[in-house]
């Protein structure tokens, strides 16, 4: 079987409200600093906290990522932060195409431009894809295929190793373990994602990590990991609870 890196990525979204709380939250992660062998832990806090948090945890097992980056390189784009700025701040990863950004109007075309800009700046990209809902005719598969094809349109085979896919069905996000996708279904979707990638990249796509996100909690992490054939998780609300996050990470030890 192809060797794939494994990841647990914490997406803090727009939390917590102060930098002191952010420091405290990350401090509570300290049990994880030794890391779990073979699993990369990436923390994605709000952009304002990133430089300070990264500095405090430099040289530890933690890596840091942003939750978004501009498709533009510079210029008159009020409120935007470029991938080059993130790289300059020594941030390694960047989530792109998260469903909460898509819901605010981000198109596949913009996301494709963002992916290209982030890769050119030297970042590792966590590309989020996932259907809003499931329909009996399985049109959601076409949506997903379009998201993947567009997301990778500016990714050359040489740059493929810097992209991770996070499959996140929108209907399963921000709920509880019972509402998350069943591991067997996750497995089917991982195969689907890989099939589309392999049409473009051939066997190179076998090493692309495909993560699952959407209500990953201590109660379902173990079975999602073992039966879902995934390379890890993108964790939202449970990443704000250090104990829950640690428990999710421990699923990799079994
Ligand atoms: P959740 O969020 O774990 O709270 O469902 C996942 C995400 O939005 O990335």
């Amino acid at each position: 079987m192809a060797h794939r890196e494994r990841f647990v990525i914490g997406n803090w979204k727009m939390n917590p409200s102060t930098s002191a709380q952010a420091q405290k939250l990350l401090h509570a992660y300290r049990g994880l600093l030794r890391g779990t062998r073979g699993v990369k832990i990436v923390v994605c806090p709000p952009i304002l906290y990133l430089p300070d948090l990264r500095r405090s945890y430099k040289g530890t097992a933690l890596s840091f990522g942003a939750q978004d980056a501009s498709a533009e390189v510079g210029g008159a784009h009020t409120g935007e932060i470029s991938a080059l700025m993130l790289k300059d701040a020594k941030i390694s990863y960047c989530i792109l195409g998260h469903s909460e950004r898509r819901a605010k109007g981000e198109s596949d075309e913009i996301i494709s431009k963002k992916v290209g800009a982030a890769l050119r700046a030297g970042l590792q990209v966590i590309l989020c894809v996932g259907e809003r809902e499931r329909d009996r005719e399985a049109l959601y598969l076409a949506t997903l295929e379009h998201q993947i094809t567009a997301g990778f349109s500016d990714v050359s085979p040489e740059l493929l190793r810097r992209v991770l896919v996070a499959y996140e069905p929108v209907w399963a996000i921000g709920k509880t373990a019972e509402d998350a996708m069943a591991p067997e279904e996750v497995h089917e979707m991982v195969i689907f994602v890989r099939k589309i990638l392999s049409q473009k990249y051939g066997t190179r796509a076998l090493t692309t990590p495909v993560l699952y996100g959407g209500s990953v909690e201590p109660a379902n992490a173990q079975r999602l990991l073992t039966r879902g054939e995934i390379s890890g998780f993108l964790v939202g609300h449970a990443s704000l609870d250090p104990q829950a996050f640690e428990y999710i990470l421990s699923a990799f030890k079994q």
Side-chain angles (χ1 to χ4, degrees):
M1 201 176 89
H3 174 73
R4 282 175 214 129
E5 275 189 289
R6 303 195 298 170
F7 293 85
V8 178
I9 300 172
N11 176 9
W12 288 7
K13 306 192 179 182
M14 205 169 74
N15 301 293
S17 301
T18 68
S19 60
Q21 286 166 347
Q23 284 284 356
K24 208 168 145 202
L25 175 60
L26 201 59
H27 188 66
Y29 271 43
R30 67 192 175 285
L32 313 176
L33 293 181
R34 276 167 270 109
T36 295
R37 265 185 59 192
V39 187
K40 247 196 180 117
I41 308 164
V42 184
V43 183
C44 303
I47 191 86
L48 209 53
Y49 307 148
L50 260 175
D52 273 355
L53 292 180
R54 195 204 69 89
R55 225 169 285 122
S56 311
Y57 289 82
K58 209 169 134 193
T60 70
L62 292 183
S63 297
F64 289 88
Q67 298 172 13
D68 188 30
S70 179
E72 308 296 337
V73 176
H77 302 286
T78 304
E80 298 271 289
I81 288 172
S82 77
L84 281 169
M85 293 171 190
L86 293 175
K87 184 68 184 172
D88 181 59
K90 310 221 167 16
I91 304 306
S92 320
Y93 292 84
C94 184
I95 297 174
L96 292 175
H98 190 279
S99 61
E100 286 151 18
R101 300 222 52 88
R102 291 180 190 263
K104 288 185 173 14
E106 233 173 66
S107 64
D108 280 329
E109 196 191 351
I110 293 174
I111 293 160
S112 155
K113 275 183 78 181
K114 288 187 170 192
V115 171
L119 290 175
R120 278 189 290 280
L123 298 177
Q124 313 247 58
V125 169
I126 303 150
L127 174 67
C128 298
V129 296
E131 73 279 4
R132 299 200 68 74
E133 55 191 15
R134 294 218 150 182
D135 55 299
R136 290 159 75 94
E137 290 77 31
L139 294 176
Y140 65 89
L141 291 176
T143 308
L144 199 58
E145 178 165 4
H146 192 263
Q147 288 179 352
I148 298 167
T149 314
F152 279 86
S153 62
D154 208 6
V155 180
S156 66
E158 293 68 37
L159 290 176
L160 182 64
R161 63 188 165 73
R162 282 207 267 119
V163 186
L164 289 70
V165 177
Y167 168 63
E168 301 202 296
V170 182
W171 49 267
I173 290 179
K175 303 211 170 119
T176 66
E178 290 90 71
D179 306 297
M181 201 176 218
E184 291 71 20
E185 281 182 293
V186 171
H187 188 190
E188 279 171 21
M189 297 313 291
V190 170
I191 293 170
F192 183 76
V193 172
R194 261 188 216 300
K195 183 174 147 248
I196 294 163
L197 289 180
S198 64
Q199 282 162 2
K200 176 164 182 180
Y201 301 102
T203 51
R204 272 182 204 251
L206 288 174
T207 53
T208 301
V210 181
L211 319 183
Y212 169 78
S215 299
V216 177
E217 293 187 342
N220 59 3
Q222 180 66 50
R223 59 175 188 272
L224 280 167
L225 188 67
T226 49
R227 308 214 301 265
E229 293 294 324
I230 45 175
S231 304
F233 302 115
L234 179 52
V235 185
H237 63 272
S239 70
L240 298 170
D241 173 348
Q243 242 182 335
F245 197 70
E246 189 161 3
Y247 197 94
I248 290 169
L249 198 71
S250 70
F252 290 83
K253 289 188 189 146
Q254 331 259 319

